[in-house]
Each structure stands twice: as C-alpha cells, then as structure tokens.
Amino acid sequence: MTTQVIILNGGSSAGKSGIVRCLQTVLPDPWLAFGIDSLVDALPPKLRGPDGGIEFATDGGVHVGPAFRALEAAWMEGVAATVRAGARVVVDDVFLGGTASQERWRKALGGLAVLWVGVRCEPAVAAGREIARGDRTEGMAAAQADLVHAGVRYDLEVDTTRAESLECARTIAAHIG
Amino acid sequence: MTTQVIILNGGSSAGKSGIVRCLQTVLPDPWLAFGIDSLVDALPPKLRGPDGGIEFATDGGVHVGPAFRALEAAWMEGVAATVRAGARVVVDDVFLGGTASQERWRKALGGLAVLWVGVRCEPAVAAGREIARGDRTEGMAAAQADLVHAGVRYDLEVDTTRAESLECARTIAAHIG
Amino acid sequence: MTTQVIILNGGSSAGKSGIVRCLQTVLPDPWLAFGIDSLVDALPPKLRGPDGGIEFATDGGVHVGPAFRALEAAWMEGVAATVRAGARVVVDDVFLGGTASQERWRKALGGLAVLWVGVRCEPAVAAGREIARGDRTEGMAAAQADLVHAGVRYDLEVDTTRAESLECARTIAAHIG
Amino acid sequence: MTTQVIILNGGSSAGKSGIVRCLQTVLPDPWLAFGIDSLVDALPPKLRGPDGGIEFATDGGVHVGPAFRALEAAWMEGVAATVRAGARVVVDDVFLGGTASQERWRKALGGLAVLWVGVRCEPAVAAGREIARGDRTEGMAAAQADLVHAGVRYDLEVDTTRAESLECARTIAAHIG
C-alpha cells in the first residue's frame, strides 16, 4: 500500500526538521510538511502559558493543558483530512505522552497508510545541539530524548547521533511504499 | 449561528497578520490561526519556483501552478476538518483568483458558519508598508491591493489605511455570532 | 556639515525599524543599519537574564546590568569607528536611561555629525501594535512610550501615531545635511 | 597574550554559527558575536543585488561589488574598535577572497591578539546540511567549501564533518590565551 503519511517522533533537537526538509527534497512527489511547531505557532498567545495551553518551563519541561489537547485533537483531524483529500504529508511531533500520543494519531489517521519513524539522538549529543541552535529552552533536549520513545512502536528508527539528516531521509525514503 | 471560521482576504502588506494576532487576543475563546503563508511554508522547496508550484516574480506578480493548486485544495479540506472537529479557526488568504478563490473556500467549508472579511488598504499605503517590512518582494502590495477583491463578496470589510489592527480586530469581533 | 549618523530613539513598538528600512530605501547613498536589537542578538545567551546582562521582565520592564553596560559601551565605540571609517550609519535605540543614554552616545560619537531623531507614538497605539506584532513581551510598549524621551533633546521628532513609516522617513531624509 | 578576537572562517553550512553559540556558552567571559550575516542584514535592500553590493546567484555563487567592499571595510574597523574598547569578540566570516579576505581583517585588527580558526566540512556533507537547513541558496555550501580556505593561515582548524559544534567549540576554547 502506498505510504500516505510519515510521522516522525523524536525529542527536541533530535534533528527532525532537518530530516523533514531532506525528505521533501529526496522524495519524487511533493509532500507537505506539518509539525507540532506549526500547531504551536497557530495557537493564540494566551495559550502559550500555564492556563490550559502549552507551557515551556525553564527546566526544559513542557506542560500541556486541556485547551491545548482539544485544539491538538482537531488539528490532527485536519492533517488526516488533508491526506484523505489527496496530499501526502510528513509530520514531525514530540510524543510527550509516549504511547498515548501515538494512540491519538492512530485514531485520527484511521484507514490511512502511515509510516511510523522514531528519530533517536543520544541525550548528550542532542543537548549539545540545543546549545548550538541557541533558540530553545535549555534542558528540553535532554529531558525529552528518551521520554518520547517510551512504549512507542515504529516501522523504522533512525539515529542522528552519527548519521546526517540527508542520510536518515534516504533511509526513510527507501521504506516508502 | 455561531461563527466557526473567519476568512480574511487582502493583498500583501494590507495588514492581515496583525489583525489575526489581535483577533486571537480579543476573542474570548481560543482560535487557531492558519494562513496562506503557513501553506507555503509547508511546501517542498522544489515547489517554490516555476515548475507547477508557486513563484514570486521580481515584478511583484505571483504565479501559481497545478501542483500548488492540488495541495492547496487538500489543505483547505484540512482546515475545514479542523473546524468540524471543534476548533474555531481564523484564516488569512490572498485571493489571487478573486471569486474563483472564494469559490474554492466556499466548497471546502460547506455547511460551516463562515464570516467573510475583506481587508482593504490603499495601494500606495500598502506599498509603503511593504518597504517598511523589508521582507517582501517589492511590488506585491501594489499589484494585489485591488486585484484580490475583484468580485468577492464579504460580510464585513475593514480598511487598515487609517485604522489600527486592534481596532479592525474589534470591529470583526463584534460581528462574531 | 554632512550628516554621518542618524540616531532614532523611541519605545518598543513605536515603529523605529520600519522607519530605518524606509530610510535605507529613500536615502540616495547606502546607509548601514544597526540597533539595540542587533547588540542583544550579539550577546551570549547567559547575559540574557538577570545576572548582569539584560532582562525582559514579564511586566514589560527591561533591566540592564553592569556586564551589559560594558559591552554596550564597547559596541557604541564600534559604531562610531564604522562611521569614522567612512560608512554612514542609522542606529535605532531605546533610551531606557533617558538623558544618560543620550550622553553615552554623545561621548562615543564625539566630533561626528549626528542627527538626533525622536520617534514618538501614543502609548495606547503602541500597545495595540505590540499585540499585532505578537513577538514582544506585552507591556513594553506602554512602559517605554514616554519614559525613553524624558529629558532627551532632538533635532527632529516624528510621530508614528498617525503618520506612516515611509512618510516619517521622508521627513527625516529632508533634514539630512 | 590574552586572545581578544576569534575569527572563524568557513564556507556556507560548515557549521560556524553553531560553534559561535557554543563558544559563547563554554567561554567563562562574555564574548560578543558578529558575523558576515549581521553585516548583510545591516545593508540597505538595494545593495542586495547586482548593483555594486552583494548578490547571491542561483548557482550558489556570491558576487560582491565595490559598494559592499567599502561598507565591509568600515564595518571591520568597527569590530576592531569594539575590541579595543574592551569587548571580546568572535566573528564568523566567509573568506570569498581567500588570502585577500584574511589580509583585510589583519589590517583592521592590527595590534590585537587574534585567534584564526578554520572551520572545515567535507563539501558533500556541507551540501547535505544546506538541504537540511532549507534557508540557503542551494549550491553555496559546495561552491565555498574549499574555496574559502585557499591560502589562508590558521592557528587552529576544526572539522565539523564528524565533530559536533560543542566539541569544536571546546577545542577552540582550549586555545584561548
């Protein structure tokens, strides 16, 4: 069955965005790229804080409330509908809830051909890349590196610790049905 | 009937994004913000060019090909599904096709309560703001200022030539059912 | 005497950056643009916080420590040297210290032909534009609107409350010797 | 003698910016970061094009004219003055002119204690990272990878092909007098 959606899951600074851009370049068909960052950008500013939205704590923790969860669920339905309408979509997400996060996507994407990809990176290396990027709350990379993979099942895993984004993208592209 | 989607249409540098952010602040419920810029960001780089995608010409013209139109149609279905799943959404778009653009949205949003808002700005003023922003192809503001409104029907029009974004947002908010 | 430096002073969201970009377009010679934001971008991340650097408080206040002041003084010398080496430079700054801020610049720019420009905006309007921009700590615009002008002496003042950036830039350009 | 300026030279996508941010974090004193990108940002838009300024060709070539060179020379004097006034500064540059570029810096920084650092990256790897970044003209990384090092003499070279930014930064920091 032809893959219709690629879901990349990995912690902050694991290198998901770079892989997404490489995938869009190496895959012959046009794929749209959406991600948890694009959802956060779409939120009203008042939900970027502790009142039921999403909060990035200074210790690297990320706290998500019910208002965020409700909008996220609607957004997932939107991504699924975009795919059902004929677009191929690659999504990068951070499964803060581990298996529960995967379950939410599985429900939204019911009936679609999904390729589940785990994007790993050793915590110390991800933490160094977080410093090099300079635009993220310090501590997120280390806090999320293992957490987001707990119990999640993949079709394929890539590890950016020693492999370049383009190489990871080619590995993933080889698994596209 | 309670408004579920607000569609803002206006030319480049007419001030749509500022109104969107003000709307998200003044409206009591959380509204997600999507827009044509977020779709363009989601495109593969190879579709940002003349080969069937979207091309920003140096004279301020914007040319759109069949590959872009297909992905745009799927994205519109996604926005509609996000709304049907319970999120309220404000969209800012540039109706390069005038009535044809509105028709595409009308079809995707069938059955939903939409507020259609025209965002006007005098061409000379929009052209000046384009210079002040410095991040847009010069000429887009003037080229699009009137073009995008040709034949389009609105529930409400605002004009940023002399009104601030926040004032326009409050006018729109007063029309939300 | 030919103007060599233009210093624009105004509160956050008063519209300084837009005027700078318009000035670079309307002035026939090439002018370099530097500003307090470019200095903040050049700081090490550890100085963006309470330890002697610059801190953006959640109430809109900005607190500046001795480590920041020392680097700022060196940067001002650098701007002056750039001008002495033949480049014409426009600077946008936020005189948190009022007359003391102006005195620091006056000392660094000794012997150069400076045009001092005040960029005013009514506090309520600046606060609305801060919401429309969505990228600033809420409250900075209102907190700084009058504060930064206290005791400062200008060659020229512009007011963006009702005048466009391009119009303000043309007014300033007409005063360039 | 205590190092006062660090000059990093390397091609586009070699990883200079990441190393700079890591250096600012690992070095105990505060260092300001300037770079060729900050100069380009300071240029009037009309100099970003073929008329004597800087032009980024679609084949990855970068062409620089006399108006750019004049402003660049003044900017280099400004960086030197910032250091002479007491700030420690790390600069990242792209020596399109090879030894001539180094000579320009050497002249501006006369009398200061400079650490010259070459940032290498294998052309194929840099080209892959350029795709992963998605914000650069394709072809610049490959075109510049070797070119910028021709004839340049360093105190120290790092290679990001297999070493992380943070590791390179630590190597450089160990050479700071």
Side-chain angles (χ1 to χ4, degrees):
Chain A
M1 190 174 174
T2 307
T3 304
Q4 295 168 290
V5 197
I6 305 169
I7 306 276
L8 301 181
N9 173 45
S12 184
S13 292
K16 300 179 298 297
S17 304
I19 295 176
V20 168
R21 282 186 287 262
C22 289
L23 273 171
Q24 289 187 301
T25 297
V26 302
L27 291 169
D29 287 332
W31 287 68
L32 289 175
F34 296 119
I36 190 67
D37 285 353
S38 64
L39 174 60
V40 171
D41 285 346
L43 290 178
K46 56 189 161 195
L47 281 195
R48 292 185 214 128
D51 299 335
I54 187 163
E55 187 186 14
F56 300 93
T58 52
D59 65 351
V62 178
H63 307 290
V64 159
F68 177 81
R69 281 282 174 243
L71 293 171
E72 184 195 37
W75 171 71
M76 287 174 168
E77 294 295 331
V79 171
T82 303
V83 178
R84 287 195 185 99
R88 305 178 87 174
V89 175
V90 50
V91 174
D92 71 284
D93 199 356
V94 181
F95 286 5
L96 294 173
T99 50
S101 300
Q102 186 170 34
E103 210 38 58
R104 280 193 282 272
W105 274 115
R106 214 184 282 280
K107 199 180 134 202
L109 300 173
L112 296 171
V114 184
L115 185 77
W116 299 93
V117 181
V119 181
R120 301 260 179 189
C121 184
E122 288 177 11
V125 170
R129 291 178 187 170
E130 183 176 68
I131 294 170
R133 295 170 67 172
D135 63 343
R136 301 288 160 126
T137 309
E138 218 176 302
M140 283 175 65
Q144 298 175 357
D146 291 325
L147 177 77
V148 301
H149 298 291
V152 179
R153 300 180 65 169
Y154 299 112
D155 297 304
L156 174 68
E157 293 187 48
V158 293
D159 190 324
T160 67
T161 311
R162 267 163 294 267
E164 296 289 316
S165 300
L166 186 56
E167 194 182 333
C168 295
R170 287 194 175 122
T171 302
I172 298 166
H175 281 75
I176 300 299
Chain B
M1 191 176 174
T2 307
T3 304
Q4 295 168 290
V5 197
I6 305 169
I7 305 275
L8 301 181
N9 173 46
S12 183
S13 292
K16 299 179 298 297
S17 304
I19 295 176
V20 168
R21 282 186 286 262
C22 290
L23 272 171
Q24 289 187 299
T25 297
V26 301
L27 290 168
D29 287 331
W31 286 67
L32 289 176
F34 296 119
I36 190 67
D37 286 353
S38 63
L39 173 61
V40 171
D41 286 346
L43 290 178
K46 56 190 162 195
L47 280 195
R48 291 185 213 128
D51 299 334
I54 186 162
E55 188 186 12
F56 300 92
T58 52
D59 66 350
V62 178
H63 307 292
V64 159
F68 177 81
R69 279 283 174 246
L71 293 171
E72 186 195 34
W75 170 71
M76 287 173 167
E77 293 296 330
V79 171
T82 302
V83 178
R84 288 195 185 99
R88 305 179 87 175
V89 175
V90 49
V91 174
D92 71 283
D93 199 357
V94 181
F95 286 6
L96 294 172
T99 51
S101 300
Q102 186 170 34
E103 211 39 59
R104 280 192 282 271
W105 274 115
R106 214 183 283 279
K107 199 180 134 204
L109 300 173
L112 296 171
V114 184
L115 185 78
W116 299 93
V117 181
V119 180
R120 302 261 180 189
C121 183
E122 288 177 11
V125 169
R129 291 177 188 171
E130 183 176 68
I131 293 170
R133 294 171 66 171
D135 63 343
R136 302 289 160 127
T137 309
E138 217 176 305
M140 282 174 66
Q144 298 174 358
D146 291 325
L147 177 76
V148 301
H149 297 291
V152 179
R153 300 180 66 169
Y154 299 112
D155 297 305
L156 173 68
E157 294 188 46
V158 293
D159 190 323
T160 67
T161 311
R162 266 163 297 268
E164 296 288 316
S165 300
L166 185 56
E167 194 182 333
C168 295
R170 287 193 176 124
T171 304
I172 298 166
H175 282 74
I176 299 300
Chain C
M1 190 174 174
T2 308
T3 304
Q4 296 168 288
V5 197
I6 306 169
I7 305 276
L8 301 182
N9 173 45
S12 184
S13 292
K16 298 179 300 297
S17 303
I19 294 176
V20 168
R21 282 186 287 262
C22 289
L23 273 171
Q24 289 187 301
T25 297
V26 302
L27 290 168
D29 287 331
W31 287 67
L32 289 177
F34 297 119
I36 189 67
D37 286 352
S38 63
L39 173 60
V40 171
D41 285 346
L43 291 179
K46 54 190 161 195
L47 280 194
R48 292 186 212 127
D51 299 335
I54 187 163
E55 187 185 13
F56 300 93
T58 52
D59 67 350
V62 179
H63 306 292
V64 159
F68 178 81
R69 280 283 173 244
L71 293 170
E72 185 194 37
W75 170 72
M76 286 173 168
E77 294 296 330
V79 171
T82 303
V83 178
R84 288 194 185 101
R88 304 180 87 175
V89 175
V90 50
V91 174
D92 70 285
D93 199 356
V94 181
F95 286 6
L96 294 173
T99 51
S101 301
Q102 186 169 33
E103 211 40 57
R104 280 192 283 270
W105 274 114
R106 214 184 282 279
K107 199 181 134 203
L109 300 173
L112 297 171
V114 184
L115 186 77
W116 299 93
V117 182
V119 181
R120 301 260 180 190
C121 183
E122 288 177 11
V125 170
R129 291 178 188 170
E130 183 176 70
I131 294 170
R133 295 170 66 171
D135 62 343
R136 301 289 160 127
T137 310
E138 217 176 305
M140 283 174 65
Q144 300 175 356
D146 292 324
L147 177 76
V148 300
H149 298 291
V152 180
R153 300 179 65 170
Y154 299 112
D155 297 305
L156 174 68
E157 294 187 47
V158 293
D159 190 324
T160 67
T161 311
R162 267 163 295 268
E164 296 289 316
S165 300
L166 185 56
E167 193 181 334
C168 295
R170 287 193 175 124
T171 302
I172 298 166
H175 281 75
I176 300 298
Chain D
M1 189 177 176
T2 307
T3 305
Q4 295 168 289
V5 197
I6 305 169
I7 305 276
L8 301 181
N9 173 45
S12 183
S13 293
K16 299 180 298 298
S17 303
I19 294 176
V20 168
R21 281 187 287 262
C22 289
L23 273 171
Q24 290 187 300
T25 298
V26 301
L27 290 168
D29 287 332
W31 287 68
L32 288 176
F34 296 119
I36 189 67
D37 286 353
S38 63
L39 173 60
V40 171
D41 285 347
L43 291 178
K46 55 189 162 196
L47 280 195
R48 292 186 214 127
D51 298 335
I54 187 162
E55 188 186 13
F56 300 93
T58 52
D59 66 351
V62 178
H63 306 292
V64 159
F68 178 82
R69 281 282 174 244
L71 293 171
E72 185 194 37
W75 171 73
M76 286 173 168
E77 293 296 331
V79 171
T82 303
V83 177
R84 287 195 185 98
R88 305 179 87 175
V89 174
V90 49
V91 173
D92 71 283
D93 199 356
V94 181
F95 285 6
L96 294 172
T99 51
S101 300
Q102 187 170 32
E103 211 38 59
R104 280 192 283 271
W105 274 114
R106 214 183 283 279
K107 199 181 134 203
L109 300 174
L112 296 171
V114 184
L115 185 77
W116 299 94
V117 182
V119 181
R120 301 260 179 190
C121 184
E122 288 177 12
V125 169
R129 291 179 187 171
E130 183 176 66
I131 294 171
R133 294 171 65 171
D135 62 343
R136 302 288 160 124
T137 310
E138 216 177 304
M140 282 174 65
Q144 299 175 357
D146 292 324
L147 178 75
V148 300
H149 298 290
V152 179
R153 299 180 66 169
Y154 299 112
D155 296 305
L156 173 69
E157 294 188 46
V158 294
D159 190 324
T160 67
T161 311
R162 267 163 294 267
E164 296 289 315
S165 299
L166 185 56
E167 193 182 332
C168 295
R170 287 192 175 125
T171 302
I172 298 166
H175 281 73
I176 299 299

